[in-house]
Amino acid sequence: MKVDDLVADLSQDRPRLGRSSTAERVADILRERISEGFFPPGQRLSEEAISEALRVSRNTLREAFRLLGHERLLDHQLNRGVFVRLPSVEDVLDLYRVRRVLEGSAVRRPPSPQTLALVKEAMRDAERAAAEDDWQRVGTANIRFHQALVSLNDSPRIDELMRQLLAELRLVFHVMDNPRAFHEPFVERNRVLLGLVESGRREEAAAYLDDYLDHAEKLLVHAYEPNR
């Protein structure tokens, strides 16, 4: 992405910082942008451009970079700068181990109407994006679907962990040469999973989710194979 485009786009997030800009808020913005596919793996993050766009100090931005480095989203390369990280295949396997625990627990709990509404909204967004052949938006909507699903656990700590995990997972999506072939089957699978959750068929939902995650994991691991 060109620096001018980055500044223009990121500057829209400036009002979210409020008067007391903090590294945590900056990290939240950058993490969200990673989850949306805005920053691809390998992209160098310009301190000058991002600090200008968000109107934060270089020190604040560096602290945000440090926080996201701990979350495995960024790499600090000596004398080169800060780059968006490409997760390894070992990361993929571990991400899916954690997803099975967090999401498996979620679908076994009775859903609240508020949470179901968020899950349905994300599913509808994915369907609209698929109809418009916008597979990056489908990927973003899928991330939101699973974030909303995990909120069935009713735990702010789990929600925060899932946000970090899904941002890292979004970086993995970039290894797919054909985003449509990867995302399209899961638009329908999300609809089936939601139906099982909504109808209270919790163990069926958990079993279906296990198969769903196995399928996604195999596709992603296979995409790494030529580079291993």
Side-chain angles (χ1 to χ4, degrees):
M1 176 173 291
K2 294 180 180 178
V3 170
D4 289 347
D5 293 338
L6 184 150
V7 171
D9 206 323
L10 263 187
S11 62
Q12 299 174 39
D13 290 319
R14 195 183 301 148
R16 295 172 54 190
L17 295 174
R19 292 184 179 179
S20 56
S21 300
T22 66
E24 288 82 3
R25 289 193 183 112
V26 174
D28 286 345
I29 288 171
L30 297 179
R31 186 188 306 107
E32 184 175 309
R33 289 302 189 130
I34 289 171
S35 293
E36 293 169 353
F38 184 72
F39 293 120
Q43 178 168 343
R44 183 180 179 276
L45 299 186
S46 166
E47 282 189 12
E48 181 179 4
I50 295 175
S51 61
E52 176 188 342
L54 297 177
R55 292 186 182 170
V56 296
S57 71
R58 295 285 187 94
N59 285 340
T60 296
L61 184 59
R62 287 167 188 159
E63 177 63 14
F65 284 169
R66 188 186 67 79
L67 293 172
L68 295 177
H70 284 307
E71 294 177 18
R72 302 171 184 267
L73 299 178
L74 302 181
D75 273 332
H76 296 71
Q77 298 183 16
L78 188 63
N79 299 324
R80 294 194 63 215
V82 177
F83 293 80
V84 180
R85 182 173 176 267
L86 176 62
S88 67
V89 70
E90 288 76 17
D91 292 319
V92 174
L93 296 172
D94 200 33
L95 286 168
Y96 275 84
R97 287 187 197 105
V98 180
R99 288 190 70 182
R100 288 183 182 91
V101 174
L102 301 186
E103 296 186 55
S105 170
V107 300
R108 288 181 170 89
R109 294 175 62 88
S112 69
Q114 295 85 354
T115 301
L116 278 179
L118 292 174
V119 178
K120 288 178 182 178
E121 180 185 1
M123 185 187 71
R124 287 192 293 266
D125 284 349
E127 291 172 340
R128 284 191 291 266
E132 296 169 12
D133 203 31
D134 188 338
W135 299 99
Q136 177 164 316
R137 274 178 52 215
V138 172
T140 299
N142 185 59
I143 292 287
R144 288 176 42 231
F145 177 92
H146 289 280
Q147 182 71 57
L149 194 68
V150 159
S151 68
L152 290 170
N153 284 303
D154 195 25
S155 167
R157 289 176 176 82
I158 291 177
D159 290 345
E160 179 63 26
L161 174 60
M162 192 65 174
R163 271 189 289 275
Q164 295 175 15
L165 183 151
L166 289 175
E168 190 176 357
L169 184 66
R170 185 56 188 262
L171 295 177
V172 177
F173 287 174
H174 289 276
V175 305
M176 304 305 292
D177 291 332
N178 187 336
R180 177 174 185 168
F182 175 61
H183 289 299
E184 191 168 30
F186 293 100
V187 176
E188 173 59 26
R189 296 199 74 156
N190 285 349
R191 189 182 301 114
V192 173
L193 179 59
L194 175 59
L196 293 171
V197 170
E198 192 170 18
S199 62
R201 295 152 66 187
R202 297 173 197 164
E203 289 307 316
E204 287 182 61
Y208 187 82
L209 176 68
D210 279 343
D211 182 70
Y212 175 121
L213 295 177
D214 285 348
H215 181 200
E217 180 185 49
K218 286 175 184 175
L219 290 174
L220 291 168
V221 169
H222 180 71
Y224 276 83
E225 299 252 328
N227 301 315
R228 295 190 74 187

